[in-house]
Amino acid sequence: MAVELLDLSWPIATGMPVYPGDPEVEAVPALTVADHGVNVLRLHLGSQSGTHVDAPFHIDDALPRLDELPLERFTGPAAVMDVRDLAPRAPITPDALPEGLAPGIVLLIATGWSDHWATDAYLAHPYLTRETAEAIVGSGVRTVGIDALSVDPTPPPGSDDFSLEAHRVLCGAGAVIAENLNNLPRLLDAQAAGRSVEVSLFPLALAAADGAPVRAVAAIDDRAVLIASSADGLA
């Protein structure tokens, strides 16, 4: 198969992890076939639940809301950045950024923290420094995703000492941020093998929203590898 589709999302389910202080998630039957002839779920969740995107409005009332952003902001060719060697709560510095970042690229940050999903360790993820966020914006990139709870440090339980420096830089430049991604190591393997990766992060169409859950999907294309191999064979 030339193109493989890979789900980068966590399923939305009752009791799933949420950012400290966000609404808890509940997905329970509202109607059932046995009693009503159809199955319908009742959903209770926050706009930042599960795999989701932040619109700039998330951190500033004056910035664009979700439905004011162009659809192009939620899709594009991906560059996957490998920082899986970092320690808990370590800063991600500008020297870790990959080469070739440019407008239209979707930068995906693979911390490996999806391995800690639904554990206390998930809160202790690496995070972007202000300088790194500024370098990303300077490259022209306006779509950033991470396989962690936030691009900024998440405060430990009981603490209200939190920073939104990376959010403020990225959102202030009109960027969208995807958080709680999954399966990014698979994309690193594809990238290392020379396969191209296109990612889609289209959110629910919530009016005037700060963000929304997404079904994040990567299309991994090995046709570039096949073409390269054919060219080598003809050389």
Side-chain angles (χ1 to χ4, degrees):
M1 184 175 70
V3 178
E4 173 191 359
L5 296 181
L6 178 65
D7 196 345
L8 307 180
S9 313
W10 289 105
I12 292 176
T14 298
M16 71 186 303
V18 297
Y19 191 87
D22 276 13
E24 297 294 330
V25 175
E26 185 178 47
V28 297
L31 305 175
T32 64
V33 168
D35 293 334
H36 307 93
V38 292
N39 287 316
V40 175
L41 280 178
R42 176 181 293 112
L43 300 177
H44 177 273
L45 70 164
S47 56
Q48 307 280 318
S49 297
T51 306
H52 67 274
V53 293
D54 298 350
F57 179 68
H58 181 48
I59 55 92
D60 192 319
D61 289 345
L63 294 176
R65 291 163 168 79
L66 188 66
D67 55 0
E68 296 172 332
L69 296 169
L71 290 177
E72 290 80 6
R73 198 64 52 86
F74 303 100
T75 187
V80 194
M81 172 179 168
D82 190 357
V83 291
R84 291 175 295 173
D85 59 342
L86 291 179
R89 299 195 180 278
I92 302 171
T93 53
D95 58 289
L97 291 171
E99 296 181 357
L101 294 182
I105 296 289
V106 177
L107 175 62
L108 300 180
I109 304 165
T111 67
W113 241 252
S114 53
D115 290 346
H116 303 297
W117 177 255
T119 72
D120 291 343
Y122 194 62
L123 277 64
H125 55 84
Y127 63 92
L128 295 179
T129 65
R130 168 179 282 276
E131 293 75 18
T132 306
E134 289 171 343
I136 292 168
V137 167
S139 74
V141 168
R142 292 297 182 270
T143 311
V144 179
I146 192 168
D147 58 352
L149 197 53
S150 176
V151 292
D152 282 298
T154 298
S159 171
D160 57 1
D161 181 18
F162 68 97
S163 164
L164 290 174
E165 286 193 345
H167 273 83
R168 296 195 186 284
V169 172
L170 294 170
C171 292
V176 297
I177 303 167
E179 293 164 328
N180 292 326
L181 293 171
N182 193 18
N183 287 326
L184 294 193
R186 292 272 304 278
L187 298 189
L188 285 169
D189 292 342
Q191 184 172 263
R195 304 173 76 187
S196 66
V197 178
E198 295 268 341
V199 67
S200 296
L201 305 164
F202 292 110
L204 293 176
L206 297 181
D210 58 279
V214 305
R215 183 67 178 268
V217 176
I220 304 170
D221 194 337
D222 60 12
R223 284 176 289 190
V225 177
L226 294 174
I227 292 170
S229 298
S230 299
D232 290 342
L234 294 173

